[in-house]
């Protein structure tokens, strides 16, 4: 995991736990981007953990090697519809919803 770029979508409780665990496991903050529908929540996470906060449409999200989805369950279909056209073979997508 230390050489993979990771996008975490959804910065609620699960998303924040994922960020904390990845960082404590040795994944460099520069390899993690976070996304949330509430940009202020993503920015707060970025400020706290030193990761980048971006919009769902940003290339670094769909270029990530691993996408960890932790939005509210009702938002999962919308997130997947936004991501689907830009995903590519070899990416790992995991939903925690």
């Amino acid at each position: 995991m230390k050489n993979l770029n990771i996008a975490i979508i959804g910065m609620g409780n699960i998303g924040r736990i994922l960020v904390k665990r990845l960082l404590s496991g040795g994944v460099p903050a520069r390899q993690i981007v976070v996304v949330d529908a509430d940009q202020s929540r993503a920015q707060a996470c970025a400020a706290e953990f030193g990761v980048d906060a971006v919009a769902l449409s940003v290339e670094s999200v769909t270029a990530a090697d691993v996408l960890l989805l932790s939005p509210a369950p009702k938002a999962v279909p919308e997130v997947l519809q936004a991501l689907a056209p830009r995903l590519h073979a070899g990416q790992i997508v995991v939903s925690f919803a």
Side-chain angles (χ1 to χ4, degrees):
M1 292 286 288
K2 293 181 185 177
N3 296 322
L4 300 176
N5 291 313
I6 302 166
I8 303 172
I9 301 166
M11 287 294 96
N13 292 331
I14 293 172
R16 293 177 60 79
I17 289 168
L18 291 169
V19 173
K20 289 178 190 177
R21 296 296 182 222
L22 288 167
L23 292 172
S24 68
V27 176
R30 70 180 180 282
Q31 291 174 214
I32 300 172
V33 297
V34 297
V35 177
D36 196 275
D38 178 350
Q39 189 62 23
S40 64
R41 186 164 33 184
Q43 291 294 336
C45 186
E48 181 178 349
F49 299 112
V51 298
D52 287 331
V54 299
L56 187 62
S57 62
V58 173
E59 168 105 16
S60 60
V61 174
T62 54
D65 301 300
V66 179
L67 290 90
L68 303 176
L69 309 180
S70 61
K74 66 181 180 180
V76 171
E78 179 182 335
V79 169
L80 290 174
Q81 286 177 342
L83 291 174
R86 299 180 296 141
L87 296 177
H88 61 273
Q91 285 179 300
I92 299 169
V93 179
V94 179
S95 176
F96 291 86

